[in-house]
Amino acid sequence: MNVFLDSIQHFIDIDFSGVRTYFVSLTVTIIVTYLLIVVFRKIMQQLFKRTTLLEEKKKETIESVVKNTSRYIFAIIILIAAIKPFVGDLKEVIVAGGIIAAVIGFGAQKLINDLISGVFIIFEGTIKRGDFINVNGELEGGTVEELGFRIIKIRLINGKLLTISNGEIRKMVNGSVEKRRIFESLIVSFNQDPGIVRVLLQEVCDELNTKQLALLQVDKLTGDYVEKYEIYGLHSLDTSPFGYKFSIVATVNDTDYLVASLEAKKVLAQKLYDNKVKMAEQLINKGY
């Protein structure tokens, strides 16, 4: 009976000084690790502000990747600090953890696929933070808000946030590779004089070239504009609804595309309305 009581007493005999030391050490590790990560991010941000060697999008992409990666590093360091007092040799735990991770990896192929895909996307520079992309053939696109090794967060035009795993991206259209081309078309009636339409379109191009001069793409080598607003031409006679199809084009900075495109539509529509241009109409067969 005495032996049993002694074993119970030994079991509940807790070294509170050791427990206190453990939690103090763990707390200090968490605080120091967090501060180091914050300081590193701040230093990186200040360096990016003072350098012109990298494009703004590349800077934002690197910051986004570092932000996501630092979370994993923080978690790993805290995990190691938490289990270290309970193991004899940390190397053995790491090796055993690696073996367990390899075994689990066979059942977590999707996660590994996401990580590998993320590595290729980031280091090949396929997309950057701030790019406007369409994924997997979806008509609705959005702006890349956050880029990581496992997932990508895309802010859609309607304001919703789309989160997609890197491994699920099968097809991607990037509309923000340094420059974007505005291509606005209109179809006018066969009863409308095409010569008048060309004159009006030229007026639209002149007005947009004045209003959007700062939005037009400039060639970095020559300093000339890549493509100012101009008439693409009358390039179709059999478009449905039936009529003449004209277009205007221009090359703008990718970050200014949405603003430039909306203004171009507005100016074009107003010009057509003010001059009472006859637009093409869809013929409907009513059966009589």
Side-chain angles (χ1 to χ4, degrees), residues 10-261:
H10 178 72
F11 178 77
I12 64 175
D13 187 16
I14 301 174
D15 183 7
F16 288 99
S17 62
V19 174
R20 183 172 60 253
T21 301
Y22 169 76
F23 282 106
V24 169
S25 175
L26 183 61
T27 303
V28 171
T29 302
I30 293 174
I31 295 174
V32 171
T33 305
Y34 177 77
L35 290 177
L36 287 175
I37 291 175
V38 171
V39 170
F40 177 74
R41 288 182 185 175
K42 294 295 183 182
I43 292 175
M44 185 179 65
Q45 289 175 357
Q46 293 301 319
L47 289 175
F48 283 163
K49 287 181 180 179
R50 289 171 169 77
T51 182
T52 57
L53 298 177
L54 295 176
E55 297 177 359
E56 191 64 29
K57 280 191 175 181
K58 289 184 178 180
K59 295 177 184 178
E60 293 177 354
T61 301
I62 294 174
E63 289 181 1
S64 178
V65 173
V66 170
K67 178 182 177 182
N68 285 308
T69 305
S70 62
R71 294 172 183 170
Y72 294 106
I73 295 175
F74 179 76
I76 292 172
I77 292 176
I78 300 307
L79 178 62
I80 293 175
I83 67 174
K84 185 177 180 181
F86 303 101
V87 297
D89 190 352
L90 191 59
K91 292 181 179 179
E92 295 180 0
V93 175
I94 295 175
V95 172
I99 296 174
I100 294 173
V103 174
I104 296 176
F106 287 104
Q109 295 181 8
K110 184 179 183 302
L111 175 61
I112 296 175
N113 183 37
D114 292 340
L115 294 174
I116 293 176
S117 299
V119 170
F120 282 112
I121 288 174
I122 291 171
F123 287 99
E124 289 182 356
T126 309
I127 57 174
K128 303 181 185 68
R129 189 173 184 273
D131 282 357
F132 187 91
I133 64 174
N134 293 74
V135 177
N136 297 339
E138 293 291 336
L139 295 178
E140 187 175 12
T143 303
V144 178
E145 278 200 355
E146 194 169 316
L147 187 61
F149 285 104
R150 193 179 69 84
I151 62 172
I152 294 176
K153 294 183 179 180
I154 305 170
R155 181 69 63 180
L156 301 177
I157 295 178
N158 60 16
K160 295 180 180 179
L161 184 64
L162 171 66
T163 301
I164 183 170
S165 301
N166 293 323
E168 294 179 0
I169 299 177
R170 301 181 303 276
K171 178 182 178 182
M172 178 174 57
V173 178
N174 191 337
S176 301
V177 186
E178 295 186 359
K179 61 183 180 181
R180 290 194 71 178
R181 197 181 196 206
I182 290 179
F183 199 96
E184 297 296 339
S185 300
L186 69 150
I187 306 172
V188 299
S189 171
F190 284 128
N191 296 319
Q192 175 65 51
D193 185 351
I196 294 177
V197 176
R198 289 188 62 90
V199 172
L200 295 176
L201 290 181
Q202 187 58 55
E203 292 177 2
V204 170
C205 290
D206 294 340
E207 182 178 347
L208 290 173
N209 284 329
T210 301
K211 287 185 174 181
Q212 300 184 6
L213 195 62
L215 309 183
L216 297 173
Q217 176 75 24
V218 177
D219 190 293
K220 296 179 180 179
L221 297 178
T222 64
D224 298 328
Y225 292 103
V226 174
E227 183 182 38
K228 287 188 174 183
Y229 280 95
E230 61 183 8
I231 302 174
Y232 183 78
L234 196 167
H235 55 97
S236 180
L237 294 175
D238 55 356
T239 306
S240 181
F242 298 106
Y244 303 113
K245 184 176 182 179
F246 291 87
S247 298
I248 61 173
V249 295
T251 301
V252 298
N253 302 316
D254 63 320
T255 53
D256 300 318
Y257 173 79
L258 187 58
V259 173
S261 178

